[in-house]
């Protein structure tokens, strides 16, 4: 089946704590030019994703992205309480007064290095299985888009050719 190289595919997966959006865009290019943007905790799966995209799309400038939007109240950033307490104590002793409002000290302390710790999310294989199925859905969408676009282009060229032949 003839395909255009221009296309778009998208799949959205709603997980318990996050929404995962997978987008694939392609433009004309003689060779396969693959650009993959995925969150760091999925990086170990990047090679498999690249192989899957290369075998399905073959040619074109391909932009593949996975976007993750956290939908729960859980956050991977935690206040490092012991560090903040130490900063507040140091700020109090530096100012050499006890009457300074703790709120102001806390505002200053929270801006200090290591006051906030970001926990790195680990790859969940069950979650990846669902994401991988949605990658397949996005690939199916972009392939269908490319087929549809090729049909439109071939039909419009055939109409133009017939129109030109009629005026000879």
């Amino acid at each position: 089946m003839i395909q255009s190289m221009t296309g778009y595919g998208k799949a959205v997966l709603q997980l318990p704590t996050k929404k995962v959006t997978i987008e694939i865009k392609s433009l004309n290019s003689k060779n396969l030019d693959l650009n993959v943007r995925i969150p760091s905790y999925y990086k170990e799966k990047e090679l498999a994703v690249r192989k899957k995209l290369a075998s399905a799309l073959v040619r074109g400038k391909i932009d593949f992205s996975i976007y993750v939007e956290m939908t729960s109240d859980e956050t991977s950033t935690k206040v490092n309480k012991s560090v903040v307490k130490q900063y507040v104590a140091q700020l109090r002793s530096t100012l050499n007064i006890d009457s300074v409002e703790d709120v102001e000290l806390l505002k200053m302390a929270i801006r200090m290095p290591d006051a906030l710790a970001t926990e790195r999310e680990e790859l969940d294989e069950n979650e990846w299985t669902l994401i991988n199925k949605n990658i397949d859905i996005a690939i199916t969408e972009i392939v269908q888009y490319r087929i549809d676009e090729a049909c439109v282009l071939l039909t419009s060229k055939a109409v133009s050719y017939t129109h030109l032949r009629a005026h000879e």
Side-chain angles (χ1 to χ4, degrees), residues 21-154:
T21 304
I22 298 151
E23 280 188 341
I24 309 172
K25 302 173 192 173
S26 69
L27 297 172
N28 293 339
S29 180
K30 286 183 183 179
N31 302 310
L32 181 66
D33 179 9
L34 193 51
N35 182 25
V36 174
R37 286 181 299 251
I38 59 178
S40 61
Y41 44 91
Y42 298 140
K43 282 292 185 189
E44 66 186 71
K45 301 295 186 179
E46 183 175 343
L47 184 59
V49 169
R50 285 179 173 277
K51 286 181 181 178
K52 183 183 283 206
L53 292 167
S55 69
L57 301 176
V58 184
R59 291 176 56 188
K61 180 179 179 346
I62 312 296
D63 285 324
F64 174 86
S65 301
I66 296 178
Y67 303 103
V68 177
E69 178 185 338
M70 299 309 284
T71 56
S72 73
D73 292 336
E74 291 179 28
T75 177
S76 61
T77 303
K78 306 285 183 215
V79 174
N80 193 339
K81 292 177 185 177
S82 62
V83 171
V84 172
K85 284 179 183 178
Q86 289 175 358
Y87 281 138
V88 170
Q90 289 177 27
L91 289 167
R92 275 193 181 125
S93 69
T94 302
L95 296 171
N96 216 10
I97 49 175
D98 289 329
S99 62
V100 176
E101 284 187 43
D102 284 344
V103 174
E104 291 303 315
L105 288 178
L106 186 59
K107 285 180 184 178
M108 292 167 60
I110 207 75
R111 291 188 185 113
M112 301 288 191
D114 300 321
L116 300 176
T118 303
E119 297 172 2
R120 188 174 187 273
E121 187 173 337
E122 296 296 319
L123 178 65
D124 177 342
E125 286 296 333
N126 293 329
E127 180 180 295
W128 180 255
T129 301
L130 294 171
I131 291 170
N132 203 29
K133 287 178 184 174
N134 277 266
I135 291 171
D136 291 339
I137 292 168
I139 289 173
T140 301
E141 277 195 15
I142 193 170
V143 167
Q144 188 59 53
Y145 188 108
R146 290 169 107 180
I147 290 169
D148 293 346
E149 177 141 328
C151 288
V152 168
L153 291 172
L154 290 173

